[in-house]
Amino acid sequence: MEKTNLEILVKKALDYAKSFENTGKVASYIPELFKADRDALGVCIVANNKKIYKAGDCETLFTMQSISKVVALILALQTVGRDRVFDKVWVEPTGDAFNSIVRLETHNHIPLNPMINAGAIAVAGVIDSEFPFSDFLALMRKLCGREDIYLNEKVYLSEKASGMKNRAIAYMLANEGVLEKDVEQTLDFYFKMCSVNVNAEDLARIGSILANDGVNIFTGERLVESEYALIAKTLMVTCGMYDGSGEFAIKVGIPAKSGVGGGIMCCVEDNFGIAVYGPSLDEKGNSVWGLKILEYLSKELNLHYFSGAKVKEYI
Amino acid sequence: MEKTNLEILVKKALDYAKSFENTGKVASYIPELFKADRDALGVCIVANNKKIYKAGDCETLFTMQSISKVVALILALQTVGRDRVFDKVWVEPTGDAFNSIVRLETHNHIPLNPMINAGAIAVAGVIDSEFPFSDFLALMRKLCGREDIYLNEKVYLSEKASGMKNRAIAYMLANEGVLEKDVEQTLDFYFKMCSVNVNAEDLARIGSILANDGVNIFTGERLVESEYALIAKTLMVTCGMYDGSGEFAIKVGIPAKSGVGGGIMCCVEDNFGIAVYGPSLDEKGNSVWGLKILEYLSKELNLHYFSGAKVKEYI
Amino acid sequence: MEKTNLEILVKKALDYAKSFENTGKVASYIPELFKADRDALGVCIVANNKKIYKAGDCETLFTMQSISKVVALILALQTVGRDRVFDKVWVEPTGDAFNSIVRLETHNHIPLNPMINAGAIAVAGVIDSEFPFSDFLALMRKLCGREDIYLNEKVYLSEKASGMKNRAIAYMLANEGVLEKDVEQTLDFYFKMCSVNVNAEDLARIGSILANDGVNIFTGERLVESEYALIAKTLMVTCGMYDGSGEFAIKVGIPAKSGVGGGIMCCVEDNFGIAVYGPSLDEKGNSVWGLKILEYLSKELNLHYFSGAKVKEYI
Amino acid sequence: MEKTNLEILVKKALDYAKSFENTGKVASYIPELFKADRDALGVCIVANNKKIYKAGDCETLFTMQSISKVVALILALQTVGRDRVFDKVWVEPTGDAFNSIVRLETHNHIPLNPMINAGAIAVAGVIDSEFPFSDFLALMRKLCGREDIYLNEKVYLSEKASGMKNRAIAYMLANEGVLEKDVEQTLDFYFKMCSVNVNAEDLARIGSILANDGVNIFTGERLVESEYALIAKTLMVTCGMYDGSGEFAIKVGIPAKSGVGGGIMCCVEDNFGIAVYGPSLDEKGNSVWGLKILEYLSKELNLHYFSGAKVKEYI
């Protein structure tokens, strides 16, 4: 069987996505995000043959937004341990929107999972009570393999100034005893982690580490404990794509986490880290064209975990 | 590396589970179910080496209950097609209990997924408007590879007499236009499919077919279309274990569907169909000891889809 | 001080209401209701001087719909007693729509009050388990002072055929043990009581009885126990106008109960029974022009219970 | 008919209440409140004969808590006008607890009424954006007819330090645009108004002013516009006693507002201001013994607005 040429495939995937009308909207709740080019689109694959395949806008910086929830979870697990983390947040999927506050009052006293805002704020709470935000940046730099990962100050200040719903969620968590320290400090950590600038390659590199059980394929270094990589990937499957997670699991079928900055970070077990960047979002907050790219790649390479066939060989 | 002896392993798994106190309760909402032996326990593996490994109570008959939702979904997909099914039910996980009615009023007009009662009743609705219940039994017989699969009349009549919450859900669905035909007839289909008697081996055989992309490994016959097996398995991952699906996905990490009759049906891609039977349930409706068996097997055989290691070789 | 001429006032009130654009919609969930003339409007006052003042369409028959909830509550109190009624339904107002099912699952196991559908079905349940529907008709005939009060068969059959949401509510109540007998029989009672034909004068006569502590001013006969008249009026204040009850209490300030047939039945303590008929409804289910008439009368006659002035004298 | 001696009646009412076991609990969410004497009990009537009748603990100071919501509403109406107030809060009763946040997300974007926390914070928001808290104290002093009404600093600081749920509500309101200014400043106003110290006579005096259409019976001075007194009393009827308002409306039937400090402020149209103080609360937050006193007085004096009889004459 002929091997698939990924160099060509990423370009085709980009063209395929762009053949669809751009029906989405750039996030506009803060002005900084709305400055993004709504027709920007990029895809990057970090493959286990140690090659990196890119097409489109892969150098553009954008803020991680909800994708930071995966890294924050890993940091929390590494710093305070599994028990203390899951004392503050469950691991169950939810059919609610990412920023829902309702269940905190009606059903549960701790958030349903770390991929929704309430859960990620709870995770930020267990980290920031002992560790400074620089630890988050340090982990990001190790995972991305480059030192110049920085906070986007404008986005951070804008999030901080306008994040009233997240403040409401945080004070509910304080009321329930989930947040035990200073609420504004925890929110500060949360707003900062959402505002870290990355590009598509950065996210594909993190995806590759998760795809390889926590190990950097270029250096052989273990950056994430196997157990924590497993937890992160499992939560990405059940809760990674907001309230579109179930449909994504059927259509694409790989662990993925999206952010309203336009990024989606994915991993294909033992094979690929994949990331897309496309700031035009559907009503659930997922990149419209980014989803098309991932559907295309999943189909062409047999990436779905239950596709019934092996991942195709590639060069 | 030494191969694992499954003959021995299933016995060990049984012993491991029984070493825990039986803290659960047998379902009691209808008297027939409550007659089950709360200390019964069985496990069966149908492996791709065409051998069947069993330990404990694998001949005991019990009703499928919610496990029938997987088979009903497959039947619906096969008979009326993907579009008509997903016109009536979504595929998103939910943090609510299996029998919740709230979201039908507050959030959605169609049920969130086919693994909760509302969704399965919607699925029953698309089937029974054109096909008799005998088609469900016929599919069950093909999947289990034996002709003497029957309805448990006592359980069925008891479900039918007492299923007030399910009736409420069904009339809500009729109100929303999800059920278009006779509501009581659809409920009849639903109560019947929940009341089909099986044993652990039957469920392991169905699991094996799903694990093999829809193909019966003994006969080579394709019984479920690849696309539908993928959908079933994906929904088992995100929604198969009631509101304990997220925790199960982390701890065990294989597609699974449980029923309050005490059964859990699982599949391990390209390797195993697995079923457990243990009627003592936790507060979410999952077999207490059954979960222990599956945790044990997952760990011993590297079954988690993101375990970072291949499934162990076995004899 | 000059006395107000009610003969003239009711005509003025009618003109005042008709000076507003008819922005409402006739109820259309069953075809029979939708046949009503959307520009029909009538007002009737039964005053304690034993005169009856009318303007507009006061002979037109329409179905009581939710106004029957007041009479059903009185019948239930009279037949099974206060304790057995309030064992099945609370007396608290709710901000939800009249046909909401959510709270039955999330908050309470018995309905919040007898003026919402769930509560009225619970009331129907305590009556119909011992008394035939003819008892309801008999009470209506006594209250209205005429024998030819009948069921509108077409509306009744139409309600019965289409009332899926009410069925869902009833089965939820059965599930919670609030309905103890045959659910369909209780629903039959409920659909029938909603479908009794009345005209505006009938309702004003019932209002007059409530305004006079349960006594018919024309005959001096006590038809409703003082205690039960008090309960009915209090619930009309807090819950009588659907989720517009609070605004009505401020703007008009008299006990009132509306129905989607277009009627509103009111009572002014020691003074008047008032009814309006206008089938064009606002989005909450209250007669658009009927509300205008009541606002006008309340202002002109000082009817608000907290107006700070006595009801004006009249002839 | 013999006139009732109120001097004797208030003593009897006190004895009647104390004949019941004290089954309630003193509010304990902040330490200051929990210091109250759980067996304290007082009742004060300010009658239209310009006499004041007292029994029990009528000099004890306690914080207004939710009773301040009535005064804040009046202040808001007086300072910014009816339109600007009801642009930010509705007037519909709710079956939810006083501190519920759910509806802000699921149903409405503005709070349901000014007697629940969300609504009172919205009211505080429209006031404090233009007027200092000293205006609230000034209004209180005029209404109570004494200058030495002060903030309880300890309670205020304690509320401010622990009010996480109220902060969550306030940030939700800011998110919905209901609060337009500084959230912490609005909360400060809210915590302060809840922490004003009063005694039972103070509250009875305010009740008397409302009972007399806004006029101080001792001085003849109008302190509250008639229209605003009407609004306040109507909301006290439908929403004044937390989620026990419906039951209170049936059992007692007078406008009333309770607070977790143990006070209940009531008014009987054209007759009385009544207040009770008893810090032992039922699970809804209303004074257990206070309710008994009010039930007794209502029955003995025919106070229910729909009692079917005139208020008894008294000396």
Side-chain angles (χ1 to χ4, degrees), chain C residues 82 91-96 103 107 213 226 230 233-234 237-238 243-247 249-250 255 269 304-306 308, chain D residues 82 91-96 103 107 213 230 233-234 237-238 243-247 249-250 255 269 304-308:
Chain C
R82 187 169 174 154
V91 293
E92 293 305 322
T94 158
D96 296 316
R103 276 160 188 275
H107 285 242
D213 199 35
S226 178
L230 178 153
K233 283 181 282 190
T234 304
V237 168
T238 52
D243 43 334
S245 298
E247 192 178 356
I250 286 179
E269 202 67 4
H304 197 294
Y305 22 63
F306 302 132
Chain D
R82 187 168 176 156
V91 293
E92 294 304 322
T94 157
D96 296 316
R103 277 160 188 274
H107 287 242
D213 198 36
L230 178 152
K233 284 181 281 189
T234 304
V237 168
T238 52
D243 43 334
S245 298
E247 192 178 356
I250 286 179
E269 202 66 3
H304 197 294
Y305 21 63
F306 303 132
S307 70

Side-chain angles (χ1 to χ4, degrees), chain C residues 223-241:
Chain C
L223 297 176
V224 180
E225 293 73 356
S226 178
E227 173 194 1
Y228 300 155
L230 178 153
I231 292 172
K233 283 181 282 190
T234 304
L235 285 166
M236 287 161 78
V237 168
T238 52
C239 332
M241 300 297 281

Side-chain angles (χ1 to χ4, degrees), chain C residues 195-229:
Chain C
S195 306
V196 169
N197 260 347
V198 291
N199 60 35
E201 183 178 329
D202 291 326
L203 295 183
R205 283 175 178 269
I206 303 179
S208 166
I209 290 161
L210 292 175
N212 288 285
D213 199 35
V215 173
N216 181 323
I217 52 163
F218 299 100
T219 65
E221 188 186 2
R222 173 168 294 283
L223 297 176
V224 180
E225 293 73 356
S226 178
E227 173 194 1
Y228 300 155

Side-chain angles (χ1 to χ4, degrees), chain A residues 82 91-96 103 107 213 230 233-234 237-238 243-247 249-250 255 269 304-308, chain B residues 82 91-96 103 107 213 226 230 233-234 237-238 243-247 249-250 255 269 304-306 308:
Chain A
R82 187 167 175 156
V91 292
E92 293 305 322
T94 158
D96 295 316
R103 277 160 188 274
H107 285 243
D213 198 37
L230 178 153
K233 283 181 282 188
T234 303
V237 168
T238 52
D243 43 334
S245 298
E247 192 178 355
I250 286 179
E269 200 67 3
H304 197 294
Y305 22 63
F306 302 132
S307 71
Chain B
R82 186 167 175 156
V91 293
E92 293 305 322
T94 157
D96 295 316
R103 275 161 189 274
H107 286 243
D213 197 36
S226 177
L230 178 153
K233 284 181 281 189
T234 304
V237 168
T238 52
D243 43 334
S245 298
E247 193 178 355
I250 287 179
E269 201 67 3
H304 197 294
Y305 23 62
F306 303 132

Side-chain angles (χ1 to χ4, degrees), chain C residues 25-66:
Chain C
K25 286 182 186 166
V26 174
S28 58
Y29 67 95
I30 57 172
E32 277 305 300
L33 289 183
F34 196 58
K35 290 180 186 166
D37 173 7
R38 75 184 295 271
D39 290 326
L41 189 64
V43 52
C44 176
I45 299 181
V46 172
N48 270 20
N49 62 3
K50 301 193 184 174
K51 287 194 189 162
I52 296 177
Y53 305 89
K54 297 185 197 181
D57 304 305
C58 288
E59 317 308 318
T60 311
L61 291 174
F62 55 93
T63 50
M64 296 181 80
Q65 298 297 337
S66 288

Side-chain angles (χ1 to χ4, degrees), chain C residues 19 26 31 69 77-78 103 108-109 117 126 141 152 154 156 183 191-192 195 214 231 261:
Chain C
S19 73
V26 174
K69 289 167 180 166
L77 291 166
Q78 291 184 334
R103 276 160 188 275
N108 322 299
H109 298 291
N117 290 18
V126 299
R141 286 164 183 169
N152 182 325
K154 277 192 181 169
Y156 156 61
V183 173
F191 292 135
K192 277 180 177 162
S195 306
I231 292 172

